């Protein structure tokens, strides 16, 4: 295997950027983070490959200003695998592509059975990639040479994969479909913060009472603040199950908290004052959280037959029709149209149902033009058929 060096200063970045600017064709880009180890989702390694230039591994925390790289490749198409995972970390470095090609998404649209990077490389090029370091702590310094080899391989073959997938998209007449999907990923705004992120605590369903929920919220916030300060993944400090164990134990003192068997983790004992203060804060809280979170207006599908029979009939007519269209197109159903979008349109359709009005609703829910053109008429026909079927059943009953 080749030996790889990490570029960790401005001079090295400038030199690499000159070479990359002189290369040809699209640019393969990948990012390694330290998810599960660090609090942030920052990039700890950025890998770049371009024909005529070679492979470069950059250390963003050490370099700081990455603008030279943006100037070098900022006008080119970027090839990424699962771009939605990497774009936020890249943009944090002010690295922003004008257009992208997502090899994972392309493989999905082409109907590939396997869409992980290793599988796509193997299926298109016949090359097997080892995935031994995919869950490594990329904030480690210095990075071991085997890790660097692994990281380099993540971009080394991407341009060849790109060529193969571009040809396959053309063969299946999906070039424009893919282009619309890639642009939707590239321009998709960041998700807004959850209103009550603490409710994602694993095991929270076992906590009863608003006061106990306030304690859980306070412990979660204390852990979040400490994790941010230490740049450590919250779960590595104190696991969710340990926070919940502390809430359920309802300790009367700091000493009792220290004796809770399941209250474990790197910081469970060393930061005992922090956790006890959080418990006291939660107990003194006056603005108690609600026991139940308001829904999005739609009941579970299993309740539709009782709550909204026409909506239930529409969904039962449209869902198999959309699924069959997905089979015919060799596109996963969730990529053809998300189940949530179909449910929302079925629950509250336009007053006058036809392909145009259904298309307008699909667009309002974020569907792309190609999805609307293909799925809109199918959904409209299914909705109309559900009404006819209901009328026929009513006539038979009478």
């Amino acid at each position: 295997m080749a030996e790889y060096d990490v570029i960790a200063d401005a001079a090295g970045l400038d030199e690499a950027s000159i070479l990359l600017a002189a290369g040809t064709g699209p640019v393969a880009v990948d990012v390694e983070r330290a998810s599960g180890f660090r609090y942030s989702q920052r990039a700890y390694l950025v890998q770049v490959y371009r024909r005529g230039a070679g492979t470069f591994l950059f250390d963003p925390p050490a370099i700081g200003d990455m603008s030279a790289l943006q100037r070098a490749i900022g006008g080119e198409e970027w090839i990424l695998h699962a771009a939605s995972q990497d774009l936020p970390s890249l943009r944090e470095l002010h690295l922003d592509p004008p257009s992208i090609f997502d090899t994972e998404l392309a493989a999905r649209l082409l109907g590939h059975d396997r869409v992980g990077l290793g599988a796509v490389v193997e299926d298109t090029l016949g090359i097997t990639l080892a995935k031994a370091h995919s869950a490594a702590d990329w904030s480690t310094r210095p990075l071991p040479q085997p890790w660097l080899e692994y990281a380099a391989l993540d971009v080394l073959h991407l341009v060849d994969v790109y060529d193969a997938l571009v040809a396959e998209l053309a063969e299946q007449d999906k070039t424009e479909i893919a282009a619309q999907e890639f642009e939707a990923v590239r321009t998709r705004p960041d998700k807004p913060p959850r209103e009550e992120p603490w409710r994602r605590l694993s095991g929270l369903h076992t906590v009863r009472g608003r006061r106990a929920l306030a304690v859980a919220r306070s412990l979660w916030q204390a852990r979040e603040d400490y994790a941010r300060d230490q740049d450590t993944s919250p779960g590595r400090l104190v696991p969710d199950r340990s926070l919940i164990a502390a809430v359920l134990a309802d300790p009367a003192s700091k000493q009792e908290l220290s004796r809770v068997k399941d209250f474990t983790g790197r910081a469970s004992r060393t930061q005992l004052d922090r956790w006890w203060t959080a418990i006291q804060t939660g107990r003194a809280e006056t603005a108690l959280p609600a026991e139940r979170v308001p829904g999005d207006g739609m009941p579970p599908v299993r309740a539709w037959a009782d709550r909204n029979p026409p909506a239930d009939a529409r969904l039962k007519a449209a869902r198999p029709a959309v699924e069959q269209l997905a089979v015919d197109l060799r596109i996963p159903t969730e990529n053809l149209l998300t189940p949530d979008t179909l449910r929302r349109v079925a629950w509250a359709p336009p007053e006058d149902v036809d392909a145009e009005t259904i298309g307008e609703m699909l667009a309002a829910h974020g569907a792309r033009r190609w999805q609307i053109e293909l799925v809109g008429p199918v959904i409209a026909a299914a909705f109309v058929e559900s009404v006819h079927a209901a009328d026929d059943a009513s006539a038979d009953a009478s």
Side-chain angles (χ1 to χ4, degrees), residues 126-147:
I127 297 172
T128 302
L129 298 181
K131 300 300 289 182
H133 307 296
S134 58
D137 179 3
W138 290 93
S139 67
T140 301
R141 292 296 182 272
L143 286 165
Q145 188 61 214
W147 295 18

Side-chain angles (χ1 to χ4, degrees), residues 362-374:
L362 292 173
H365 287 296
R368 269 70 71 192
R369 187 178 73 253
W370 72 272
Q371 294 173 313
I372 294 168
E373 291 172 354
L374 290 171

Side-chain angles (χ1 to χ4, degrees), residues 246-270:
V247 175
L248 297 178
D250 193 23
S253 66
K254 184 168 59 175
Q255 288 69 32
E256 279 193 25
L257 175 62
S258 71
R259 292 194 292 268
V260 175
K261 181 180 177 182
D262 293 328
F263 188 61
T264 60
R266 288 169 51 185
S268 61
R269 301 295 183 265
T270 59

Side-chain angles (χ1 to χ4, degrees), residues 222-244:
R223 184 185 66 173
E224 198 76 2
D225 293 343
Y226 187 51
R228 186 184 299 108
D229 180 64
Q230 298 295 309
D231 192 17
T232 300
S233 174
R236 291 179 69 82
L237 295 172
V238 180
D240 283 7
R241 56 177 171 75
S242 294
L243 293 186
I244 297 299

